[in-house]
Amino acid sequence: MPEHTEPAPQPTVTEVAAAAGVSAATVSRVLTGRVRVSTSARVSVHDAIAQLGYVRHRAPRRADRQSAGLPVAAVVFEPAARLFRDGFVARLLAGAEEELSERGVPLITMSATRGTFASSTQFLTAGGVGGVLLVGAPAQHPLAVSLAASRVPLRSAGRPELAVPFADVDNRDGARQAVEHLLLRGRRTIATIAGPPDSPAAVDRLEGYRRAVLAAGRQPIIAYGDYSTPSGGHAAAWLLDRTPRLDALFVASDAMAAGALQALRKSGRRVPEDVAVVGFDDAPLAGFTTPALTTVRQPVEELGAVTAALLLDPADDDPVLPTELVVRAST
């Protein structure tokens, strides 16, 4: 009998973007025939498609005539107040809204608050929206579970806890960049303040940190926070008490890193002379901390735009956008 061979894996949108030297959002715009792409970028994308043998596959969805022109609903699985105070969510939704507005599609923003699950589910699955963009959907949340079981097109901004299509940023590689930067700065005892263990992004950042320090022959030193500034301060104080000789911190969010900087200052540690600090997000506050914070920039607006574009014109892969280290005075 002839030997059975597995088919070669098909290239993804992310790989096409890397080969073309453009973003995943640009590839999406080329594939959907959008005009907001330069001629050179369009040529590069088509060259990469031909070189890699990329074949576009449309994901199953309801007929276009049923969803064309309908609004997209962004559902944020956080308290309603976070819509107004959380910079990440605001930037994400701004990117999604810009992408949708160019197609003439309205964006509705909702918070999955307690007591409205039934009415929200009915509204979102009754055919009144063309798709749902999920932000921070927990695996066991009743609204998330109902949406995942429905026929409404879904796409999560960020790798979700439940099995639905998504677009994400490369959290593991961002953590790797942070650790390798600290190693190149001569730091020997590198601890991390990780985010909540039930957050997929936090899990990926912790895994990227863990792999990088182990590859360097060091042992992981881990504390946890909840992405808030006070939790970063408490975690940093805990680490300093248990590992007085630590000389570097990789912190899984800029807000927690700001708290860590405060704790270091209270302990008499100088940054970066005694302890170097790297955050994650490149939130606006990173440029205003003392000292200014070295951090991993994630393309938040682009993530919103790509997620929205894939809702309207689905593909069968889950693009992952690259992150970038931004070096400032804290290292």
Side-chain angles (χ1 to χ4, degrees):
M1 294 180 62
E3 183 180 353
H4 175 73
T5 58
E6 293 292 333
Q10 295 299 306
T12 66
V13 166
T14 304
E15 291 169 338
V16 171
V22 299
S23 70
T26 298
V27 175
S28 174
R29 292 185 180 108
V30 171
L31 292 173
T32 56
R34 302 293 306 284
V35 297
R36 198 183 70 175
V37 180
S38 68
T39 300
S40 60
R42 196 179 300 276
V43 169
S44 296
V45 169
H46 284 298
D47 286 347
I49 288 172
Q51 175 187 348
L52 296 175
Y54 174 80
V55 178
R56 188 176 177 210
H57 299 283
R58 293 178 62 89
R61 63 172 293 173
R62 292 190 294 178
D64 289 347
R65 284 181 296 178
Q66 290 180 280
S67 57
L70 294 175
V72 163
V75 181
V76 182
F77 289 80
E78 297 285 348
R82 187 180 179 195
L83 297 177
F84 303 100
R85 72 169 186 261
D86 189 297
F88 175 87
V89 174
R91 292 169 60 196
L92 180 80
L93 296 180
E97 185 173 43
E98 180 181 0
E99 179 70 25
L100 293 171
S101 66
E102 292 190 359
R103 304 182 183 218
V105 177
L107 177 68
I108 301 170
T109 301
M110 303 172 56
S111 179
T113 54
R114 189 179 301 277
T116 64
F117 301 151
S119 58
S120 296
T121 301
Q122 182 178 5
F123 169 73
L124 293 169
T125 60
V129 298
V132 177
L133 189 159
L134 304 175
V135 182
Q140 303 304 318
H141 194 289
L143 178 55
V145 171
S146 296
L147 289 171
S150 74
R151 297 184 61 202
V152 65
L154 294 178
R155 181 72 64 159
S156 173
R159 184 172 68 84
E161 295 181 49
L162 68 167
V164 299
F166 64 89
D168 200 6
V169 300
D170 199 338
N171 290 292
R172 292 187 184 186
D173 189 67
R176 176 198 62 78
Q177 292 179 60
V179 172
E180 291 186 356
H181 172 72
L182 291 167
L183 290 167
L184 288 171
R185 288 287 199 267
R187 306 295 169 158
R188 302 191 59 79
T189 307
I190 303 172
T192 189
I193 301 175
D198 60 352
S199 162
V203 170
D204 288 346
R205 292 171 196 178
L206 178 57
E207 180 63 18
Y209 159 82
R210 194 191 305 270
R211 289 183 182 182
V213 295
L214 289 172
R218 318 290 169 82
Q219 287 301 309
I221 305 168
I222 304 167
Y224 291 90
D226 62 6
Y227 286 143
S228 69
T229 297
S231 74
H234 294 317
W238 185 89
L239 286 167
L240 288 170
D241 184 56
R242 284 154 181 79
T243 314
R245 296 177 61 186
L246 76 82
D247 59 3
L249 276 175
F250 164 59
V251 190
S253 79
D254 289 345
M256 291 197 299
L261 289 173
Q262 294 172 8
L264 290 166
R265 189 159 48 245
K266 288 179 181 178
S267 73
R269 309 296 179 94
R270 299 169 302 164
V271 178
E273 292 86 351
D274 300 323
V275 181
V277 179
V278 179
F280 204 111
D281 289 332
D282 196 27
L285 69 85
F288 298 101
T289 57
T290 304
L293 185 64
T294 294
T295 184
V296 178
R297 175 182 294 159
Q298 55 173 331
V300 181
E301 290 85 357
E302 184 178 347
L303 176 62
V306 169
T307 307
L310 289 169
L311 265 176
L312 299 185
D313 195 56
D316 64 349
D317 62 325
D318 299 315
V320 177
L321 309 181
T323 52
E324 174 191 2
L325 185 72
V326 179
V327 178
R328 297 192 179 97
S330 67
T331 57

